[in-house]
Amino acid sequence: MKPSHRLLAGVTSLLLAAAAHSHRVAVIGAGAAGSSTAYHLRQFAEADGVDVNITLFEKTSHIGGRTLTTHAFGDASQPVELGASIFVPINEILWTAAADFGLPLLPAGGNDDDGGLLGIWDGDRFVYTQDDRTPGWWNLVRLVWTYGTAPYRANKLMQATIQRFLELYRAPYFPFRSLTMRANELELTFVTGQTGQQYLDAGGVGARFSHDIVQASTRVNYASNLARIHALDAMVALAPSGASQIRGGNWQIFDCMARASGADLRMNTSITRINKAPGAAPGAALPSTMYVVKSTDALGVETADEFDSVVLATPFQYSGIEAGDGVLQTAIDEIPYVRLHVTLFTSPLTFDAAFFKLAPGSKAVPTTVLTTLADDDGNNGQGSSGGADGSGKAGFFSVSTLRRVINPLTRREEYLYKIFSPEAVTPAFLSRLFGAEVPDTITDEANGLQVISWYYPHVFYSYPQALPRVTFQDPVVGDGLYYTSGIESFISTMETSALMGKNVARLVVDDIQGLATGGAVVGEHGKGNETSTVDVGVGDKQSAAGEL
Ligand SMILES: Cc1cc2nc3c(=O)[nH]c(=O)nc-3n(C[C@H](O)[C@H](O)[C@H](O)COP(=O)(O)OP(=O)(O)OC[C@H]3O[C@@H](n4cnc5c(N)ncnc54)[C@H](O)[C@@H]3O)c2cc1C
Ligand SMILES: *[C@@H]1O[C@H](CO)[C@@H](O)[C@H](O)[C@H]1NC(C)=O
Ligand SMILES: *[C@@H]1O[C@H](CO)[C@@H](O)[C@H](O)[C@H]1NC(C)=O
Ligand SMILES: *[C@@H]1O[C@H](CO)[C@@H](O)[C@H](O)[C@H]1NC(C)=O
């Protein structure tokens, strides 16, 4: 589309809008995707002189969705991420927004100066340990000593793959009406169509490194073993260094976006149904009322509002939204999600050496334990010792010491821990982990020494079970009806949800102006024809070790 065409179309739509009302857009869900949709919708609409009236509906009392912060001991001065906890500098949308909104960044993993020992445990033994208190180069030497060139190769493969993904941010790949088509054009279906295991093997990354290190990352990031996750998510789990978080909670990025959008924010309001407006004529001159959106607020009061466009910014299968006749022109597939237990708690104790089969009093007990499969687990965690959940002999994905905190009751310093597991954490497990009796009630107010002083378990449908696939739910699912969550089967992160929100915002504003953007990329830019696959070279000295 030539700029002059865009301008003309913009003028036409302005005239139409002036003759009727401003274009009303409902955004359903104020997580990363919905907040980003509203924020970018306002920006794109203003830049093109399009008049939009945005309503952002959120069923809970907080903005951010799975980007969710709680507070240790319920103390507002001790925030801790329960949901999405890190992002990296190449996450352009989040990184730029954090800077624009003046939100302070912290390096992920807290800012304690004493670091700690990281171990990768297979349920029998530590297959790898790394001491953050020793210089970085020493850890690098150790990694190379243990795994040879595999870390370099894996890092190279990751960098090349991520570079290709980043093309989605810019013309001619941005915006896009079909994610499947773009994934094909960028040869990313080659990556999503195989397992992380296959991709690393084909890239010449040593099996030991993949098994020990990369799998520890896919387990902690996506609760999946390498043989059961597609290679794009596996590469994302190895993400480039620079992991950061927002001081006080990552949700603030989305809160700032939602507010800056100038949307009418309807908190505690659940959308229950979307109907085609009576008499709405598809293809009629815009703007015309297309949808009636029904909602229920916290007091149970039901409201019906009219909108010209609707953006579904939440996994449809969990949204509780009914779509009336003719609303969905493309069915939204149900996607299997991981059911993940995230358990936050505090304790004055550190892990018991005996739990990890180390000698009593051992100085080598890690403060953060990632896990991988044991040799007798098979390669998907469903071998002799593992259950169907893939966690294998270890039984959990990670236990991390996040940082030191102050117990407001005792005024003493304690440790803040987080566990990722496929099943609920039990008192028996905690008793073994700390080598001290944890009662059935877990916390025990009456007792003198409390092993667990504060306990906060939560269950998420955290992200899709990312088995290999080459098709994705596209963002346009009806006439003026858009869907963001299809991108989660491609990559599930705050940034990718925000990117899909931005993409949908662009499509909405272009559609209002009658611009047919976001189609196939043809000609010199089209990569779909090339025979080259992602180049895997060795020699980039920026090692994956930096991330561990
Ligand atoms: C434990 C955990 C750890 C993670 N770690 C990371 C990480 O470190 N880094 C990272 O980038 N990503 C991480 N992720 C993934 C990341 O959280 C998600 O990919 C991202 O937040 C999804 O955003 P979203 O807006 O698409 O969906 P959501 O965050 O789920 O937002 C959807 C919103 O819609 C609302 N809603 C639902 N139904 C309705 C309705 N009927 N009416 C109104 N509102 C409705 C919901 O309440 C919610 O607020 C993690 C996820 C989990 C669970
Ligand atoms: C939403 O509900 C919660 C209680 O669940 C309440 O504290 C909060 O003030 C409500 N927010 C709005 C904006 O109504
Ligand atoms: C914006 O749209 C909503 C939903 O249709 C409507 O209730 C509201 O009056 C509109 N606001 C303006 C300023 O037009
Ligand atoms: C694909 O390759 C064919 C033959 O080599 C060529 O004619 C065509 O233009 C290419 N298409 C794209 C999208 O590059």
Side-chain angles (χ1 to χ4, degrees):
M1 175 71 48
K2 284 186 190 148
S4 57
H5 289 186
R6 176 163 282 186
L7 191 67
L8 268 182
V11 169
T12 313
S13 97
L14 266 182
L15 293 175
L16 281 170
H21 52 74
S22 71
H23 194 91
R24 294 164 302 184
V25 186
V27 181
I28 304 172
S35 306
S36 169
T37 303
Y39 178 62
H40 291 101
L41 193 52
R42 177 65 63 201
Q43 290 188 348
F44 291 144
E46 273 182 2
D48 284 10
V50 171
D51 183 14
V52 288
N53 163 4
I54 312 168
T55 308
L56 179 53
F57 294 96
E58 171 51 52
K59 88 171 161 194
T60 70
S61 58
H62 69 270
I63 289 178
R66 275 167 279 166
T67 306
L68 176 62
T69 309
T70 187
H71 300 95
F73 306 105
D75 170 359
S77 70
Q78 305 200 61
V80 51
E81 296 293 5
L82 185 61
S85 51
I86 58 167
F87 57 102
V88 290
I90 57 158
N91 291 161
E92 181 182 299
I93 297 174
L94 302 188
W95 204 264
T96 310
D100 289 350
F101 295 127
L103 296 170
L105 290 172
L106 291 175
N111 50 356
D112 289 356
D113 46 20
D114 53 358
L117 190 65
L118 177 139
I120 298 176
W121 166 253
D122 75 358
D124 287 325
R125 64 191 180 94
F126 284 103
V127 296
Y128 183 75
T129 54
Q130 178 173 293
D131 194 340
D132 285 346
R133 292 162 297 198
T134 58
W137 61 266
W138 176 246
N139 284 321
L140 195 61
V141 167
R142 187 186 183 90
L143 199 65
V144 172
W145 176 260
T146 315
Y147 298 108
T149 60
Y152 298 133
R153 283 177 171 270
N155 185 52
K156 230 10 211 186
L157 190 58
M158 178 273 288
Q159 297 281 359
T161 312
I162 300 293
Q163 278 314 313
R164 195 143 286 183
F165 156 74
L166 291 176
E167 301 216 36
L168 270 183
Y169 282 72
R170 266 165 266 289
Y173 297 100
F174 183 92
F176 46 95
R177 279 170 203 275
S178 167
L179 180 57
T180 303
M181 187 174 70
R182 281 294 182 273
N184 262 310
E185 289 165 347
L186 290 167
E187 286 188 338
L188 284 167
T189 45
F190 169 77
V191 187
T192 60
Q194 56 185 315
T195 66
Q197 183 79 63
Q198 291 166 326
Y199 194 58
L200 290 160
D201 287 352
V205 176
R208 204 70 235 168
F209 182 78
S210 299
H211 176 276
D212 295 354
I213 306 285
V214 185
Q215 184 153 264
S217 310
T218 57
R219 286 165 64 94
V220 70
N221 282 296
Y222 287 122
S224 287
N225 294 312
L226 262 187
R228 294 180 62 82
I229 188 170
H230 67 62
L232 189 56
D233 262 347
M235 292 299 105
V236 169
L238 274 189
S241 49
S244 300
Q245 44 191 207
I246 302 289
R247 183 194 298 276
N250 294 329
W251 63 274
Q252 294 168 99
I253 298 180
F254 307 117
D255 191 62
C256 287
M257 281 184 168
R259 289 174 204 290
S261 76
D264 174 7
L265 204 51
R266 306 237 191 122
M267 300 302 295
N268 296 334
T269 304
S270 215
I271 300 303
T272 54
R273 193 170 173 90
I274 302 170
N275 283 335
K276 268 255 152 91
L286 288 169
S288 71
T289 297
M290 302 284 296
Y291 298 104
V292 176
V293 171
K294 294 191 178 162
S295 59
T296 307
D297 71 12
L299 302 171
V301 177
E302 293 185 18
T303 308
D305 298 284
E306 296 187 334
F307 292 96
D308 305 297
S309 306
V310 175
V311 180
L312 294 162
T314 186
F316 189 63
Q317 67 203 53
Y318 300 127
S319 70
I321 299 173
E322 284 176 55
D325 281 349
V327 169
L328 287 175
Q329 289 171 5
T330 306
I332 301 180
D333 288 340
E334 184 158 347
I335 300 286
Y337 270 65
V338 171
R339 197 161 176 275
L340 182 73
H341 290 256
V342 179
T343 307
L344 289 166
F345 61 96
T346 54
S347 173
L349 304 184
T350 55
F351 303 146
D352 187 24
F355 180 90
F356 297 108
K357 305 178 186 172
L358 298 170
S362 168
K363 290 265 175 291
V365 184
T367 51
T368 287
V369 179
L370 309 185
T371 60
T372 190
L373 295 172
D375 291 336
D376 54 359
D377 275 330
N379 80 342
N380 59 15
Q382 295 167 26
S384 55
S385 52
D389 55 51
S391 64
K393 193 174 260 181
F396 59 93
F397 299 116
S398 62
V399 298
S400 315
T401 310
L402 299 180
R403 60 174 195 263
R404 298 174 188 213
V405 288
I406 302 291
N407 183 331
L409 288 178
T410 61
R411 302 245 136 249
R412 283 212 318 261
E413 203 170 68
E414 298 189 358
Y415 300 99
L416 176 58
Y417 294 102
K418 183 186 256 183
I419 299 180
F420 286 152
S421 57
E423 302 291 341
V425 169
T426 62
F429 174 86
L430 293 168
S431 301
R432 286 197 300 122
L433 184 61
F434 290 101
E437 185 65 23
V438 171
D440 283 348
T441 53
I442 301 195
T443 52
D444 183 3
E445 312 271 312
N447 229 337
L449 172 85
Q450 291 194 57
V451 178
I452 309 294
S453 47
W454 171 77
Y455 197 67
Y456 196 96
H458 191 82
V459 188
F460 284 100
Y461 286 109
S462 48
Y463 18 67
Q465 289 166 11
L467 288 167
R469 59 185 294 157
V470 293
T471 60
F472 304 94
Q473 186 83 52
D474 288 331
V476 181
V477 290
D479 209 354
L481 183 67
Y482 308 83
Y483 184 56
T484 60
S485 302
I487 201 166
E488 285 200 64
S489 308
F490 183 71
I491 301 176
S492 178
T493 60
M494 295 182 278
E495 174 74 10
T496 37
S497 280
L499 171 62
M500 186 51 101
K502 183 175 181 178
N503 177 58
V504 162
R506 183 71 262 171
L507 295 178
V508 170
V509 173
D510 288 351
D511 283 348
I512 295 172
Q513 302 177 82
L515 304 175
T517 55
V521 173
V522 289
E524 62 189 286
H525 292 295
K527 288 209 161 123
N529 253 354
E530 290 172 10
T531 50
S532 78
T533 52
V534 177
D535 166 50
V536 194
V538 179
D540 185 345
K541 290 285 177 201
Q542 196 203 354
S543 166
E547 181 53 15
L548 297 165

